[in-house]
Amino acid sequence: MSEFDSEIFSTPQEQREYEEFCEQQEREQTFSLDQPALVCRWRMAHRRVPLLNRHIRALSQRTVNGAPLARNMLSWAKQHVEWSLAEGEYDDPCGVLMMVVDVNGNAAMTVGAYEPLEDTSAAALASRASLARAERDETGVAPEVLCAVADGSLIVDAAPDEPLCGAMTLVEQLAETCGHNVVHAEGSLPVGTVLLVSDEHGVVPASDASASDADAAFVKLLADGVAKLFA
C-alpha cells in the first residue's frame, strides 16, 4: 500500500505503523497479512485491555467480505491479547492495541501510544461517527457511536437491533444501572449534549456543547465510569 487508505486507517501514521508491523512479521517469517479489511483499536490500561470480553463479543458480530470471523480466530485473538500483553514490554503500557484482520480472515496485533482527540467539537465528533457508520455498513459494527443526552435520557444514534461496539455496550449498561432511559434512534438525535462513545477514546463530550446541570452530571457519570477502567 503506497497511498493513504482513509477507509481503513484513521491517519497516515496509523497506516505506516501497520505496514511496518507487517514488514517485521515477514522478516521474521512468521506470517504475512493480505489487504486489511478490518482495523480495531482498543484502549489499554497497564498492559491489559479492560473491555476485552466486550470487544471480543463485538468482534464476533463483525464480518469480513460478508462472512463472520472464524471461531478459532476469535479464540486466538482473546488468548493472544491476554498472553502477549502480559509478557511484552511496551513504551506505553496504557496505550492502544491495534488488531488488523485481512481479507482472508487472518489477524495480527500491534501496540502503540494513545493520542487524545485534538478536535472534540460537536461537528468533529459527528464527522468521526459518520466514518464509523460507514465501517458499520461494511463490517457490521461501528467502533464509535454518536450519542446525545437530553432530559436525562441517553439517545444513541443506532438502530434498535444493531450490534454495538464494546464501549457502547458498557455505556448503555452504566446509564440503565443508574436509572436513565436509553433510546436507540438512528439518524434522529435531538438537540442536547452531544458525545462520542469510542472503543479507543471512551466517552468524549463535545467541547462546545451546553447542558443543564442534571444532563451535565449524567454525561460526567458516563465519562468517569469508563475512565476509571483506564486509571
Side-chain angles (χ1 to χ4, degrees):
M1 292 176 290
S2 58
E3 297 182 357
F4 173 51
D5 190 343
S6 60
E7 295 181 356
I8 296 294
F9 301 97
S10 300
T11 65
Q13 176 62 27
E14 180 177 311
Q15 179 167 328
R16 285 194 297 272
E17 291 174 355
Y18 166 72
E19 292 171 345
E20 290 170 0
F21 177 74
C22 289
E23 289 172 1
Q24 178 183 356
Q25 295 297 322
E26 291 173 357
R27 287 194 299 269
E28 295 175 354
Q29 297 183 349
T30 52
F31 64 92
S32 60
L33 291 181
D34 204 331
Q35 181 70 19
L38 174 65
V39 178
C40 298
R41 295 180 64 85
W42 300 336
R43 185 73 180 277
M44 295 165 48
H46 309 291
R47 300 200 303 182
R48 294 177 57 251
V49 177
L51 295 179
L52 181 58
N53 288 335
R54 292 177 184 269
H55 291 323
I56 295 298
R57 283 196 293 271
L59 187 62
S60 71
Q61 301 296 316
R62 287 180 162 95
T63 60
V64 171
N65 293 331
L69 299 176
R71 184 180 298 273
N72 60 348
M73 199 285 287
L74 295 170
S75 298
W76 169 86
K78 185 175 188 300
Q79 294 172 356
H80 193 65
V81 169
E82 292 173 335
W83 295 343
S84 297
L85 294 185
E87 298 176 358
E89 295 293 335
Y90 309 105
D91 293 335
D92 185 358
C94 295
V96 176
L97 181 141
M98 182 170 73
M99 186 175 75
V100 181
V101 181
D102 72 8
V103 292
N104 301 313
N106 299 315
M109 299 179 188
T110 186
V111 171
Y114 172 70
E115 296 183 5
L117 293 176
E118 293 184 1
D119 187 352
T120 59
S121 65
L125 298 184
S127 179
R128 289 186 65 92
S130 179
L131 293 175
R133 285 197 302 274
E135 181 174 331
R136 175 205 62 186
D137 295 340
E138 184 70 22
T139 68
V141 177
E144 298 181 329
V145 182
L146 194 68
C147 300
V149 166
D151 299 326
S153 293
L154 177 67
I155 296 89
V156 183
D157 188 11
D161 58 349
E162 179 179 329
L164 300 172
C165 65
M168 191 68 245
T169 64
L170 173 62
V171 167
E172 286 196 346
Q173 185 176 4
L174 285 172
E176 292 171 344
T177 299
C178 294
H180 293 273
N181 191 33
V182 176
V183 179
H184 284 210
E186 183 176 13
S188 58
L189 287 178
V191 175
T193 303
V194 174
L195 55 127
L196 185 75
V197 177
S198 166
D199 280 344
E200 180 179 2
H201 300 286
V203 174
V204 184
S207 56
D208 54 354
S210 59
S212 65
D213 290 345
D215 283 347
F218 181 20
V219 173
K220 186 176 186 302
L221 180 149
L222 298 177
D224 290 349
V226 176
K228 286 179 181 178
L229 297 174
F230 307 113

